[in-house]
Amino acid sequence: MALPRRNQIAGPRASPADPTSPARAAAAQAAPLLAVRGLRVAYGAVRALDGIDLDVARGELLGLVGESGSGKSTFVRALAGLVRAEAGSARFDGVELLGLARRDWRPLRRRLQLVFQDPGTSLDPTLRVGASVAEPLEIHRLLPRPERAARVAALLRRVGLDPALGSRRPHELSGGERQRVGLARALALEPELLLLDEPVSALDVSVQAQVLNLLADLRAAQGFAAVLVAHQLGVVRHLADRVAVLFAGRLAEDAPTDALFAAPLHPYTRALLAAAPRARPGAPPAAGREAPPAPTGCAFRLRCPLADARCEGEVPELLETAPGRRVACHRVEEGAAG
């Protein structure tokens, strides 16, 4: 059962007779769906994000990786309006998200949805599953009440669940089933952008694979864009078109997935890949946490085997080394780490 088209809710479309309409439409399609510039978020004296610049194209899945405390979850929560940003810009299809009033978020919630890490805490324990999935449809008044039950059943089937589970409460489901319910709820409004905050990290490995394959299938069928926060590099390699690597709230590297895994440029990215679990003996040791982020210069310099005096005194600029590929490292700029 299809939902009403957004232009039917938002207002009349531009007239086909308007000669500028095709050009405007083409420009809108070429522009990134999400454009983040200079995003800064602080928790008291701790700066969780320190000037992040990232784009997400329409239909693209961006993987966001880095160790705990690097700012990954803060990034998606700031975009969803759950964390206050102290500076920067985040434009979603031309609309500024940062500082948006609560009442102005409602029309955007249909187009941008967040899937939390722990489905056990993100679902209302007092609501039955069917009511949780139907709630976004009710809030946005998209379907008449008699049609919502059919829509909920279709959504549950889409995520691989028996519609009969709609009569249960979240605590009666397994972790994998609850995460599928969370996905069904997020997809109920047919969003253009999903913010996925480690959606499988709380699940068993076998269930993780099922949910990841489901995400890939849903994205292929619906064409939504996504930002996927993950610790597991294998998850990102399986799903992402492009990968952004965060360290201490800064962007270390940003590249197409295949290029990043084939030839990582930043020393921190190399350490992450070396620390990933391997199926054969003799794997390199984990990168470890021998030192905290450096307070001045390059944040990674106290753990970097390539660090020199310049790294101590100067924050590296994020530079494009190839089309679609950026890295923040003085030694790459000088050609010593390529």
Side-chain angles (χ1 to χ4, degrees):
M1 181 180 300
L3 295 179
R5 292 184 179 178
R6 291 188 180 85
N7 57 34
Q8 292 174 336
I9 296 173
R13 299 176 66 179
S15 168
D18 181 356
T20 64
S21 294
R24 287 177 178 173
Q29 288 297 317
L33 179 63
L34 177 69
V36 179
R37 297 291 180 272
L39 179 59
R40 298 180 187 273
V41 176
Y43 300 120
V46 178
R47 179 156 287 174
L49 294 175
D50 192 8
I52 301 297
D53 294 350
L54 277 173
D55 289 344
V56 179
R58 298 170 194 275
E60 179 183 47
L61 195 150
L62 172 70
L64 206 59
V65 302
E67 62 197 38
S68 296
S70 61
K72 306 183 301 299
S73 292
T74 297
F75 180 81
V76 295
R77 287 172 177 266
L79 296 181
L82 302 182
V83 171
R84 179 181 172 274
E86 64 177 21
S89 171
R91 301 188 70 83
F92 172 66
D93 202 15
V95 178
E96 180 59 61
L97 300 178
L98 304 187
L100 200 62
R102 185 173 181 179
R103 66 180 179 275
D104 295 326
W105 264 107
R106 176 169 288 194
L108 289 175
R109 292 294 182 201
R110 183 176 175 185
R111 305 177 61 196
L112 182 155
Q113 286 284 305
L114 174 63
V115 177
F116 293 92
Q117 176 180 358
D118 184 0
T121 57
S122 60
L123 296 174
D124 187 336
T126 66
L127 290 182
R128 298 188 186 276
V129 165
S132 287
V133 176
E135 190 175 32
L137 301 172
E138 181 178 353
I139 290 172
H140 290 268
R141 301 177 183 177
L142 295 178
L143 290 174
R145 186 179 295 274
E147 298 180 21
R148 288 178 195 156
R151 173 69 175 167
V152 168
L155 285 163
L156 291 176
R157 290 192 191 95
R158 184 179 300 175
V159 297
L161 293 176
D162 185 339
L165 295 179
S167 63
R168 298 186 185 180
R169 287 189 167 85
H171 73 273
E172 299 179 276
L173 306 181
S174 69
E177 288 172 335
R178 286 195 295 266
Q179 193 59 284
R180 289 169 184 259
V181 171
L183 283 172
R185 179 183 166 89
L187 294 172
L189 300 177
E190 298 180 352
E192 297 166 54
L193 177 65
L194 278 185
L195 303 173
L196 303 162
D197 188 7
E198 301 204 48
V200 298
S201 64
L203 305 177
D204 292 339
V205 174
S206 60
V207 181
Q208 286 183 12
Q210 295 172 15
V211 174
L212 291 173
N213 288 331
L214 172 63
L215 273 172
D217 292 342
L218 291 171
R219 180 173 166 239
Q222 297 184 229
F224 53 78
V227 177
L228 172 64
V229 173
H231 274 99
Q232 307 99 316
L233 292 175
V235 168
V236 173
R237 190 170 195 173
H238 176 64
L239 290 177
D241 301 304
R242 193 161 50 89
V243 180
V245 181
L246 292 185
F247 178 76
R250 298 177 186 171
L251 189 60
E253 187 166 355
D254 170 25
T257 302
D258 290 344
L260 183 133
F261 278 88
L265 297 181
H266 197 283
Y268 177 60
T269 308
R270 294 176 180 175
L272 280 181
L273 296 185
R278 296 174 182 243
R280 63 181 185 275
R289 297 183 65 93
E290 295 85 358
T296 59
C298 176
F300 188 62
R301 66 179 175 82
L302 298 181
R303 294 163 56 181
C304 180
L306 302 175
D308 57 17
R310 185 182 180 191
C311 302
E312 181 176 356
E314 182 182 341
V315 176
E317 184 180 354
L318 188 67
L319 297 176
E320 187 172 50
T321 61
R325 182 157 203 182
R326 301 179 299 167
V327 63
C329 178
H330 295 311
R331 301 298 298 275
V332 169
E333 181 183 1
E334 296 164 2

